[in-house]
Amino acid sequence: MRTRRLIGVIHPRLAVVLHDLAMVALAWWLAKALRYVLAHSTGQVDFLPLEFPIVLAVQGAVFAWTGLYKGLWRFASLPDLWNIARAAVVGTLGIGLTLFLYSRLAGVPRSVLFLYPVTLSVLLGGPRLAYRFWKDSRLDLFASQKSRRVLVIGAGRAGETLARDLRRDSRYRLVGFVDDDAALRGARVHGIPVLGRLDQLPALAGEVAAEMLLIAQPGASTAQMRRVVELCQATGVPFRTVPRLDDVVAGRAQFNQIKDVAIEDLLGRDSVQLDWTAIRTSISGHTVLVTGGGGSIGSELCRQVARLGASELVIVESCEYNLYRIERELGAQYPELVLHALLVDAGDQPAVDALFDKYRPKIVFHAAAYKHVPMLQRQMREAVRNNVLTTRVVARAADRCGVDHFVLISTDKAVNPTSVMGACKRVAEIFCQNFSRQSRRTHFVTVRFGNVLDSAGSVVPLFREQIRKGGPVTVTHPEISRYFMTIPEACQLILQASALGQGGEIFALDMGEPIRIRDLAEQMIRLAGKEPGEDVPIVFTGLRPGEKLFEELFHAREEYCATMHAKIFLARSREMAWELLCAQLDQLEKSVRDCDEDTMQDLISHLLPEFRWNETPASDNVVPLHPAENEGAA
């Protein structure tokens, strides 16, 4: 500790300067001494009065010019050695010229000018490389912290970079790699051996006494990630992972940031290929308005719209805290973006009309909606007001101001609805489909998808909190299942669908295979290092009012077909007499003002003959999503 305090008195940069100048003096003296040794001369090595000051001044100036003092010894590498050699050669030329002007090189043999740069390069490069080797080898004689034995899964580029970082951290001791690549069998990465295949992980972890497993496979598919996690769980050793490539590219994580394996890593799907040119063209340089911009989907839409180069972004949000949070985030990340954060209820017609007149957006994403099924089941008036009438208010304002694209964010609960929430979203879909036929300029598009992982009010944060408290984890039914996708993926596909839409379409996103909520709960418990049913109990509470056992993306009579994008499907829209639809919505608005829920229920039943109150959907209405079975493109 005393040694470190003594060293700490000297500024690190000053210490480097003093060291390098000392090496310059030593190199010049050695060059002269070596000249006499090589020439077998017995003469005495003589120096002129100002010889050393001239050498130090010229070489020091060259060091400053080449930026040698800016390099960190901790990360010395080949570029630093090249910089040292360059500085030595240029310094030699400068010293030779200065000494020639000073004394016509009297007392300086010409061979010294050849020996000096070689000697100086060795004296400057050697200590730097030795220091890095010392740090990388963790030979810190002052450290007392015990290092953890780490086994890295994946010896590719990510594993190599991770290993390099681990070697610089005295808290970890890298003991080996595991990789399925046959070409790497028996190889060494930074001197650390590749021990075997992935399926040998449980045995290898025990053999090397690993205390932590690090998964370095950012490009792994979801299926591959599940397999890796299962093998890691079989070892009983704690494990972590590096972020997925999609998260790194999107700026949500750093490449070698070690984190816990999240449920999103196992339930997220493989990355999708998007037509970013078409998406960017539709967004870049234009004014975009997002309602519900502080919610889970709305805020992510705002982030991606800002990233795609919108000239102005108008955020409409009724929750003060959510609006404050997204405004602060976007203001810090995109200072060049013209941002308008407006505390406005999207159902407030005068306010909505005024902001549309003021900002004249080109694209509108209508994400404002109530989504909690059991809560809305008891509050029909608010569900109708916010999910139906608010949609009509915003859509009419968009049409009046000549918005190019209006995108309604819908839900799979609108298919064969058994809940008030789903029924209201279905009515909103019908209105937008039919309004698109009446509008001359605005293309009204609906995008329908299922649950998104970790959204506000979703099951994932609820389970996470229940597990943190030790349980029980509550699941409504042993067989209940839902579709899941990540929030970023859902928003990217929304943007893609908006670029595809020509007006009146209902696009449904390919949600993959449905996942049993029970399996989701069990996997989250295991990721927390606990055992389902033993450490954390799972309790089944029964289906809630309006809740389905499973969700659907299409009704049997919608006749969906493929589009040019593999993850987006098109449902045939439902035509309805415009005058009749407007009359029924006017009556619905009146019933909302009168708080007449009986009339609301009757009107919704007329608008949706298929609406079943609190009933389980019939199995013949379930439509599996298999593109090969439905030909056609849009």
Side-chain angles (χ1 to χ4, degrees):
M1 292 298 293
R2 290 180 180 177
T3 305
R4 283 194 166 182
R5 288 173 184 167
L6 179 61
I7 295 174
V9 173
I10 304 175
H11 192 280
R13 195 68 63 193
L14 176 60
V16 171
V17 172
L18 293 176
H19 167 272
D20 289 353
L21 292 179
M23 293 301 104
V24 168
L26 179 60
W28 188 257
W29 181 84
L30 285 175
K32 274 198 166 184
L34 283 172
R35 185 265 178 192
Y36 286 101
V37 170
L38 294 175
H40 304 287
S41 173
T42 58
Q44 185 177 359
V45 181
D46 294 323
F47 298 95
L48 297 174
L50 295 179
E51 186 174 339
F52 271 110
I54 290 174
V55 170
L56 292 175
V58 173
Q59 190 66 67
V62 171
F63 284 161
W65 174 69
T66 57
L68 188 65
Y69 298 137
K70 298 179 181 178
L72 296 176
W73 287 28
R74 178 69 184 82
F75 304 107
S77 58
L78 287 177
D80 295 288
L81 296 181
W82 166 248
N83 203 25
I84 288 172
R86 185 167 61 111
V89 171
V90 174
T92 301
L93 296 176
I95 291 170
L97 177 61
T98 306
L99 288 177
F100 177 80
L101 296 175
Y102 170 64
S103 64
R104 300 283 179 173
L105 290 176
V108 181
R110 304 301 182 267
S111 57
V112 171
L113 298 179
F114 292 96
L115 293 172
Y116 168 72
V118 176
T119 307
L120 181 61
S121 297
V122 173
L123 292 176
L124 293 180
R128 283 168 165 81
L129 293 180
Y131 182 80
R132 174 172 177 175
F133 176 78
W134 175 60
K135 296 296 287 186
D136 285 351
S137 300
R138 300 183 310 280
L139 299 177
D140 192 345
L141 303 179
F142 305 102
S144 59
Q145 183 178 11
K146 184 180 181 297
S147 59
R148 301 182 68 179
R149 298 174 64 85
V150 175
L151 185 62
V152 174
I153 302 168
R157 187 166 186 174
E160 182 272 334
T161 306
L162 182 61
R164 190 187 312 154
D165 291 342
L166 289 175
R167 286 166 61 88
R168 299 169 183 156
D169 194 329
S170 61
R171 296 174 299 172
Y172 303 104
R173 180 184 176 189
L174 185 55
V175 296
F177 293 91
V178 175
D179 200 293
D180 280 339
D181 189 348
L184 294 175
R185 200 78 66 245
R188 287 180 172 267
V189 180
H190 292 296
I192 308 299
V194 179
L195 300 174
R197 300 185 309 275
L198 187 56
D199 56 13
Q200 299 173 308
L201 178 62
L204 291 173
E207 289 177 9
V208 299
E211 297 174 281
M212 178 180 288
L213 307 177
L214 293 181
I215 305 171
Q217 296 182 326
S221 66
T222 301
Q224 291 170 334
M225 193 64 178
R226 289 175 183 169
R227 174 175 174 248
V228 172
V229 169
E230 288 176 0
L231 290 169
C232 289
Q233 290 173 337
T235 66
V237 177
F239 55 93
R240 303 287 186 273
T241 186
V242 297
R244 296 171 64 93
L245 286 178
D246 289 347
D247 293 331
V248 175
V249 172
R252 293 185 292 270
Q254 297 179 355
F255 184 67
N256 279 337
Q257 174 186 349
I258 298 174
K259 69 182 189 69
D260 290 333
V261 177
I263 193 65
E264 293 87 344
D265 297 318
L266 306 183
L267 298 187
R269 286 98 53 74
D270 299 339
S271 59
V272 296
Q273 298 299 319
L274 302 177
D275 184 359
W276 284 110
T277 300
I279 296 173
R280 188 177 296 277
T281 300
S282 66
I283 298 291
S284 181
H286 300 304
T287 300
V288 179
L289 185 146
V290 180
T291 68
S296 303
I297 293 294
S299 60
E300 181 62 24
L301 277 172
C302 290
R303 295 182 191 99
Q304 298 201 22
V305 164
R307 194 176 299 125
L308 288 167
S311 61
E312 290 188 61
L313 175 58
V314 183
I315 305 176
V316 176
E317 174 59 58
S318 61
C319 176
E320 182 183 27
Y321 175 69
N322 286 350
L323 183 66
Y324 162 77
R325 185 176 58 183
I326 189 63
E327 179 188 26
R328 186 176 180 185
E329 176 186 337
L330 295 179
Q333 293 187 5
Y334 305 97
E336 74 285 352
L337 175 66
V338 180
L339 182 62
H340 309 285
L342 307 177
L343 192 61
V344 173
D345 182 345
D348 184 348
Q349 183 171 335
V352 169
D353 287 343
L355 68 90
F356 268 84
D357 288 334
K358 181 177 181 180
Y359 298 109
R360 314 296 291 191
K362 181 177 180 180
I363 302 174
V364 173
F365 293 98
H366 182 48
Y370 290 146
K371 303 177 179 69
H372 198 274
V373 171
M375 184 178 294
L376 295 181
Q377 200 71 10
R378 302 187 300 269
Q379 302 185 64
M380 184 187 302
R381 179 183 182 276
E382 278 305 300
V384 171
R385 186 195 66 80
N386 198 53
N387 290 4
V388 178
L389 301 180
T390 290
T391 300
R392 187 169 69 154
V393 167
V394 180
R396 282 177 167 176
D399 177 65
R400 182 175 54 80
C401 291
V403 169
D404 282 0
H405 282 81
F406 178 98
V407 182
L408 170 66
I409 312 301
S410 189
T411 171
D412 56 2
K413 294 174 178 61
V415 182
N416 292 326
T418 58
S419 66
V420 170
M421 181 269 191
C424 291
K425 293 299 286 185
R426 180 59 186 143
V427 173
E429 288 184 357
I430 293 173
F431 173 76
C432 287
Q433 293 168 23
N434 288 273
F435 193 21
S436 188
R437 299 185 181 92
Q438 309 300 316
S439 177
R440 293 183 178 181
R441 285 195 54 185
T442 305
H443 303 291
F444 289 87
V445 175
T446 297
V447 181
R448 181 192 290 166
F449 56 93
N451 295 343
V452 288
L453 289 168
D454 226 11
S455 64
S458 74
V459 70
V460 171
L462 172 64
F463 283 176
R464 190 176 288 127
E465 178 66 16
Q466 290 175 335
I467 294 169
R468 187 184 66 81
K469 293 180 178 179
V473 173
T474 56
V475 179
T476 56
H477 191 282
E479 299 302 321
I480 192 170
S481 65
R482 291 291 182 266
Y483 293 102
F484 285 99
M485 68 166 45
T486 64
I487 294 176
E489 182 188 7
C491 292
Q492 289 168 7
L493 289 173
I494 289 170
L495 293 171
Q496 182 71 79
S498 69
L500 291 175
Q502 297 301 313
E505 300 97 339
I506 292 182
F507 291 111
L509 306 186
D510 180 3
M511 301 294 296
E513 295 297 323
I515 297 169
R516 284 202 317 172
I517 302 301
R518 177 180 184 174
D519 295 340
L520 174 67
E522 291 176 349
Q523 185 63 69
M524 290 186 67
I525 293 171
R526 292 192 183 97
L527 287 177
K530 301 177 182 179
E531 193 62 30
E534 297 180 7
D535 302 320
V536 179
I538 297 177
V539 176
F540 299 102
T541 59
L543 291 176
R544 297 171 296 181
E547 191 172 42
K548 291 182 179 182
L549 193 60
F550 51 86
E551 298 289 3
E552 308 146 272
L553 294 176
F554 296 101
H555 191 278
R557 293 191 293 273
E558 285 186 322
E559 298 180 5
Y560 75 95
C561 62
T563 68
M564 63 177 60
H565 194 281
K567 296 287 186 179
I568 302 176
F569 297 88
L570 176 64
R572 187 183 68 179
S573 59
R574 171 179 168 181
E575 296 186 22
M576 187 174 181
W578 178 246
E579 294 76 11
L580 176 60
L581 176 59
C582 288
Q584 289 179 323
L585 289 178
D586 287 342
Q587 294 179 41
L588 200 58
E589 184 176 9
K590 182 179 182 302
S591 67
V592 167
R593 288 198 303 268
D594 297 340
C595 296
D596 185 357
E597 293 198 352
D598 291 336
T599 301
M600 291 180 211
Q601 183 170 338
D602 291 340
L603 289 167
I604 291 175
S605 296
H606 281 94
L607 285 165
L608 305 175
E610 72 272 21
F611 184 31
R612 301 180 303 276
W613 294 84
N614 300 325
E615 293 182 10
T616 302
S619 59
D620 59 355
N621 282 332
V622 178
V623 182
L625 197 58
H626 296 301
E629 299 177 3
N630 296 267
E631 298 179 354

